PDB file of all heavy atoms in Angstrom:
ATOM      1  N   TYR P 186      30.777  39.531 -16.935  1.00  0.00           N
ATOM      2  CA  TYR P 186      30.534  40.760 -17.668  1.00  0.00           C
ATOM      3  C   TYR P 186      29.055  40.993 -17.910  1.00  0.00           C
ATOM      4  O   TYR P 186      28.663  41.962 -18.519  1.00  0.00           O
ATOM      5  CB  TYR P 186      31.287  40.730 -19.020  1.00  0.00           C
ATOM      6  CG  TYR P 186      32.732  41.063 -18.950  1.00  0.00           C
ATOM      7  CD1 TYR P 186      33.674  40.078 -18.898  1.00  0.00           C
ATOM      8  CD2 TYR P 186      33.101  42.396 -18.950  1.00  0.00           C
ATOM      9  CE1 TYR P 186      35.016  40.393 -18.862  1.00  0.00           C
ATOM     10  CE2 TYR P 186      34.496  42.771 -18.875  1.00  0.00           C
ATOM     11  CZ  TYR P 186      35.452  41.781 -18.850  1.00  0.00           C
ATOM     12  OH  TYR P 186      36.748  42.053 -18.697  1.00  0.00           O
ATOM     13  N   PHE P 235      32.370  42.456 -13.417  1.00  0.00           N
ATOM     14  CA  PHE P 235      33.663  43.051 -13.655  1.00  0.00           C
ATOM     15  C   PHE P 235      33.485  44.612 -13.679  1.00  0.00           C
ATOM     16  O   PHE P 235      34.400  45.336 -13.272  1.00  0.00           O
ATOM     17  CB  PHE P 235      34.156  42.656 -15.098  1.00  0.00           C
ATOM     18  CG  PHE P 235      34.776  41.281 -15.066  1.00  0.00           C
ATOM     19  CD1 PHE P 235      34.176  40.192 -15.601  1.00  0.00           C
ATOM     20  CD2 PHE P 235      36.033  41.067 -14.464  1.00  0.00           C
ATOM     21  CE1 PHE P 235      34.752  38.922 -15.504  1.00  0.00           C
ATOM     22  CE2 PHE P 235      36.629  39.831 -14.411  1.00  0.00           C
ATOM     23  CZ  PHE P 235      36.010  38.727 -15.034  1.00  0.00           C
ATOM     24  N   ILE P 264      34.406  32.395 -13.994  1.00  0.00           N
ATOM     25  CA  ILE P 264      34.227  33.555 -14.909  1.00  0.00           C
ATOM     26  C   ILE P 264      33.101  33.151 -15.828  1.00  0.00           C
ATOM     27  O   ILE P 264      33.288  32.303 -16.674  1.00  0.00           O
ATOM     28  CB  ILE P 264      35.501  33.865 -15.720  1.00  0.00           C
ATOM     29  CG1 ILE P 264      36.571  34.233 -14.662  1.00  0.00           C
ATOM     30  CG2 ILE P 264      35.368  34.957 -16.714  1.00  0.00           C
ATOM     31  CD1 ILE P 264      37.922  34.456 -15.279  1.00  0.00           C
ATOM     32  N   TYR P 267      31.520  34.792 -20.424  1.00  0.00           N
ATOM     33  CA  TYR P 267      32.546  35.626 -21.119  1.00  0.00           C
ATOM     34  C   TYR P 267      32.858  34.945 -22.409  1.00  0.00           C
ATOM     35  O   TYR P 267      33.135  33.793 -22.532  1.00  0.00           O
ATOM     36  CB  TYR P 267      33.747  35.664 -20.218  1.00  0.00           C
ATOM     37  CG  TYR P 267      34.846  36.535 -20.912  1.00  0.00           C
ATOM     38  CD1 TYR P 267      34.671  37.952 -20.917  1.00  0.00           C
ATOM     39  CD2 TYR P 267      35.873  35.998 -21.571  1.00  0.00           C
ATOM     40  CE1 TYR P 267      35.620  38.756 -21.562  1.00  0.00           C
ATOM     41  CE2 TYR P 267      36.810  36.746 -22.181  1.00  0.00           C
ATOM     42  CZ  TYR P 267      36.705  38.113 -22.209  1.00  0.00           C
ATOM     43  OH  TYR P 267      37.659  38.939 -22.846  1.00  0.00           O
ATOM     44  N   GLU P 295      40.830  41.356 -25.222  1.00  0.00           N
ATOM     45  CA  GLU P 295      41.499  40.125 -24.789  1.00  0.00           C
ATOM     46  C   GLU P 295      40.651  39.415 -23.771  1.00  0.00           C
ATOM     47  O   GLU P 295      39.905  39.969 -22.998  1.00  0.00           O
ATOM     48  CB  GLU P 295      42.853  40.474 -24.123  1.00  0.00           C
ATOM     49  CG  GLU P 295      43.858  40.980 -25.139  1.00  0.00           C
ATOM     50  CD  GLU P 295      44.504  39.957 -26.008  1.00  0.00           C
ATOM     51  OE1 GLU P 295      44.463  38.743 -25.601  1.00  0.00           O
ATOM     52  OE2 GLU P 295      45.045  40.296 -27.001  1.00  0.00           O
ATOM     53  N   TRP P 296      40.796  38.072 -23.730  1.00  0.00           N
ATOM     54  CA  TRP P 296      40.102  37.317 -22.699  1.00  0.00           C
ATOM     55  C   TRP P 296      40.684  37.522 -21.355  1.00  0.00           C
ATOM     56  O   TRP P 296      41.886  37.832 -21.231  1.00  0.00           O
ATOM     57  CB  TRP P 296      40.033  35.813 -23.066  1.00  0.00           C
ATOM     58  CG  TRP P 296      41.314  35.128 -23.268  1.00  0.00           C
ATOM     59  CD1 TRP P 296      42.129  34.647 -22.256  1.00  0.00           C
ATOM     60  CD2 TRP P 296      41.948  34.893 -24.443  1.00  0.00           C
ATOM     61  NE1 TRP P 296      43.185  34.078 -22.777  1.00  0.00           N
ATOM     62  CE2 TRP P 296      43.189  34.183 -24.122  1.00  0.00           C
ATOM     63  CE3 TRP P 296      41.694  35.104 -25.843  1.00  0.00           C
ATOM     64  CZ2 TRP P 296      44.050  33.726 -25.059  1.00  0.00           C
ATOM     65  CZ3 TRP P 296      42.552  34.674 -26.745  1.00  0.00           C
ATOM     66  CH2 TRP P 296      43.707  33.982 -26.412  1.00  0.00           C
ATOM     67  N   VAL P 297      39.905  37.336 -20.293  1.00  0.00           N
ATOM     68  CA  VAL P 297      40.357  37.531 -18.988  1.00  0.00           C
ATOM     69  C   VAL P 297      41.311  36.369 -18.555  1.00  0.00           C
ATOM     70  O   VAL P 297      40.970  35.204 -18.788  1.00  0.00           O
ATOM     71  CB  VAL P 297      39.208  37.580 -17.982  1.00  0.00           C
ATOM     72  CG1 VAL P 297      39.707  37.573 -16.547  1.00  0.00           C
ATOM     73  CG2 VAL P 297      38.405  38.886 -18.200  1.00  0.00           C
ATOM     74  N   THR P 298      42.429  36.704 -17.959  1.00  0.00           N
ATOM     75  CA  THR P 298      43.381  35.619 -17.434  1.00  0.00           C
ATOM     76  C   THR P 298      43.453  35.812 -15.899  1.00  0.00           C
ATOM     77  O   THR P 298      43.032  36.776 -15.372  1.00  0.00           O
ATOM     78  CB  THR P 298      44.711  35.812 -18.056  1.00  0.00           C
ATOM     79  OG1 THR P 298      45.263  37.038 -17.570  1.00  0.00           O
ATOM     80  CG2 THR P 298      44.688  35.854 -19.556  1.00  0.00           C
ATOM     81  N   ASP P 301      45.297  38.900 -14.878  1.00  0.00           N
ATOM     82  CA  ASP P 301      44.583  40.182 -14.960  1.00  0.00           C
ATOM     83  C   ASP P 301      43.640  40.419 -13.753  1.00  0.00           C
ATOM     84  O   ASP P 301      43.477  41.567 -13.389  1.00  0.00           O
ATOM     85  CB  ASP P 301      43.635  40.084 -16.212  1.00  0.00           C
ATOM     86  CG  ASP P 301      44.439  39.958 -17.479  1.00  0.00           C
ATOM     87  OD1 ASP P 301      45.538  40.492 -17.515  1.00  0.00           O
ATOM     88  OD2 ASP P 301      43.888  39.390 -18.461  1.00  0.00           O
ATOM     89  N   LEU P 302      43.197  39.402 -13.088  1.00  0.00           N
ATOM     90  CA  LEU P 302      42.334  39.594 -12.007  1.00  0.00           C
ATOM     91  C   LEU P 302      42.993  40.118 -10.815  1.00  0.00           C
ATOM     92  O   LEU P 302      42.444  40.910  -9.970  1.00  0.00           O
ATOM     93  CB  LEU P 302      41.598  38.236 -11.620  1.00  0.00           C
ATOM     94  CG  LEU P 302      40.703  37.622 -12.752  1.00  0.00           C
ATOM     95  CD1 LEU P 302      40.160  36.310 -12.266  1.00  0.00           C
ATOM     96  CD2 LEU P 302      39.577  38.579 -13.046  1.00  0.00           C
ATOM     97  N   TYR P 311      35.896  28.534 -16.181  1.00  0.00           N
ATOM     98  CA  TYR P 311      35.361  29.453 -17.200  1.00  0.00           C
ATOM     99  C   TYR P 311      34.090  28.860 -17.813  1.00  0.00           C
ATOM    100  O   TYR P 311      34.054  27.668 -18.116  1.00  0.00           O
ATOM    101  CB  TYR P 311      36.370  29.628 -18.380  1.00  0.00           C
ATOM    102  CG  TYR P 311      37.609  30.421 -17.948  1.00  0.00           C
ATOM    103  CD1 TYR P 311      38.633  29.889 -17.157  1.00  0.00           C
ATOM    104  CD2 TYR P 311      37.762  31.707 -18.338  1.00  0.00           C
ATOM    105  CE1 TYR P 311      39.757  30.560 -16.810  1.00  0.00           C
ATOM    106  CE2 TYR P 311      38.924  32.452 -18.055  1.00  0.00           C
ATOM    107  CZ  TYR P 311      39.950  31.872 -17.292  1.00  0.00           C
ATOM    108  OH  TYR P 311      41.038  32.564 -16.915  1.00  0.00           O
TER     109      TYR P 311
END
Side-chain angles (χ1 to χ4, degrees):
Y186 277 97
F235 281 106
I264 299 177
Y267 182 75
E295 292 283 340
W296 58 82
V297 170
T298 67
D301 295 329
L302 297 176
Y311 289 75

